[in-house]
Amino acid sequence: MIELFIDGASAGNPGLSGAGVFVKNGKDSLQYSIELNEMTNHEAEYEALLMGLEKCLPFKDHIISCKTDSQAVFAAVEKRYIKNQKYAHYLPKIILLLDQFDLFFIKWIPSKENAVADKLARQAIYSQKKKS
């Protein structure tokens, strides 16, 4: 089973943003700190999901267990529906990627259990601030 931890962060709302993606495959792991454009925290969370799904495509024949501390992202995947129309444009992209996996599960976890992905998302923001 592949464990996927995702998190998005913004320095402001909107503001500089980042996505953190942490993929665990047994003892092996991959970590991605992805710089995003200026956006809201919710947008960064959806971007983190998209990036995480893309990073897991090589493992699409495995069981993917995704963990997020975003209730909005969790609900969007579970219901395949995004209530807030401001973010609805993410849904077709999400579904297109989800449908490529044999088995995909998502679980909401408290922020304290998502520390690695959170750190990666914040690193992406810090990296952008250093460039400015």
Side-chain angles (χ1 to χ4, degrees), residues 49-80:
L49 173 63
L50 290 172
M51 302 286 180
L53 292 172
E54 288 173 3
K55 299 297 184 190
C56 283
L57 282 175
F59 308 110
K60 64 184 177 184
D61 297 334
H62 294 74
I63 296 170
I64 308 292
S65 175
C66 180
K67 313 244 174 53
T68 180
D69 58 19
S70 168
Q71 292 183 351
V73 167
F74 170 76
V77 172
E78 279 289 293
K79 298 175 183 176
R80 292 192 173 217

Side-chain angles (χ1 to χ4, degrees), residues 7-123:
D7 199 15
S10 292
N13 206 22
L16 290 177
S17 299
V21 175
F22 177 49
V23 181
K24 283 178 61 177
N25 183 6
K27 293 181 182 179
D28 298 325
S29 67
L30 302 167
Q31 296 184 18
Y32 303 94
S33 179
I34 304 157
E35 295 177 9
L36 301 173
N37 295 325
E38 187 171 298
M39 60 182 58
T40 67
N41 187 64
H42 281 306
E43 289 169 313
E45 296 281 3
Y46 285 114
E47 290 288 339
L49 173 63
L50 290 172
M51 302 286 180
L53 292 172
E54 288 173 3
K55 299 297 184 190
C56 283
L57 282 175
F59 308 110
K60 64 184 177 184
D61 297 334
H62 294 74
I63 296 170
I64 308 292
S65 175
C66 180
K67 313 244 174 53
T68 180
D69 58 19
S70 168
Q71 292 183 351
V73 167
F74 170 76
V77 172
E78 279 289 293
K79 298 175 183 176
R80 292 192 173 217
Y81 175 77
I82 296 176
K83 184 177 180 178
N84 189 329
Q85 289 304 301
K86 181 177 180 180
Y87 310 116
H89 68 278
Y90 285 107
L91 192 60
K93 298 174 196 173
I94 292 168
I95 291 173
L96 185 66
L97 286 165
L98 287 175
D99 287 347
Q100 295 184 51
F101 294 95
D102 285 346
L103 284 170
F104 181 91
F105 301 97
I106 191 164
K107 179 181 180 182
W108 177 86
I109 59 174
S111 296
K112 66 182 180 186
E113 293 178 26
N114 205 21
V116 175
D118 178 67
K119 179 181 173 188
L120 293 167
R122 292 183 189 286
Q123 280 177 348

